Amino acid sequence: MGISVINIGMNVPYTGHGVKVITLINYLKNLDTDDVFLFTDAYDVIFIKDPKDGLSEEFETFEFPLVYSTEQYFHFVENNKLGLWLRHPKSKGVFKMYKYLNSGVIMGKVG
């Protein structure tokens, strides 16, 4: 499996977190439905393992077509956004301490 790094957000005006999801969706429309993609906003993401070293195989062990990163804390609570916190979907993964979904990393099947 080859890894191609493509910056899909360069020169895209940032108008909020939703812009990265819209940009990703528009990009995925041009890919083969059998492809597996790895999206990262790369602002505060660190790879601790080379993606070429079995990442695709590891993704398959999740047995889900789409996997999001998670985090321990919900930062909107700190910004007086309690309503958002109450509606935020919680992770049901085995690592209960990482219960808040985060769109910093998304991996999945295109089709």
Side-chain angles (χ1 to χ4, degrees), residues 60-73:
E60 295 294 332
T61 67
F62 285 105
E63 299 180 1
F64 288 97
L66 193 63
V67 177
Y68 279 80
S69 58
T70 59
E71 60 184 303
Q72 283 183 287
Y73 306 106

Side-chain angles (χ1 to χ4, degrees), residues 16-108:
H17 286 346
V19 74
K20 69 181 175 182
V21 176
I22 292 168
T23 303
L24 174 62
I25 290 169
N26 288 333
Y27 177 77
L28 293 177
K29 289 177 184 178
N30 299 311
L31 298 181
D32 189 287
T33 57
D34 293 329
D35 286 346
V36 173
F37 72 92
L38 172 65
F39 171 84
T40 176
D41 61 17
Y43 179 73
D44 56 358
V45 175
I46 298 171
F47 288 100
I48 57 174
K49 185 176 177 182
D50 189 330
K52 291 185 279 189
D53 293 339
L55 184 61
S56 184
E57 292 79 9
E58 204 165 316
F59 165 72
E60 295 294 332
T61 67
F62 285 105
E63 299 180 1
F64 288 97
L66 193 63
V67 177
Y68 279 80
S69 58
T70 59
E71 60 184 303
Q72 283 183 287
Y73 306 106
F74 190 86
H75 300 284
F76 288 112
V77 173
E78 298 167 3
N79 297 320
N80 297 320
K81 306 266 188 201
L82 184 59
L84 287 173
W85 178 77
L86 292 172
R87 293 192 313 262
H88 195 279
K90 309 297 185 287
S91 169
K92 295 179 173 56
V94 295
F95 302 106
K96 298 295 183 196
M97 63 188 287
Y98 297 99
K99 59 186 176 180
Y100 299 105
L101 292 175
N102 178 296
S103 62
V105 176
I106 306 170
M107 187 169 187

Side-chain angles (χ1 to χ4, degrees), residues 8-19:
I8 63 172
M10 186 67 78
N11 300 319
V12 175
Y14 180 78
T15 56
H17 286 346
V19 74

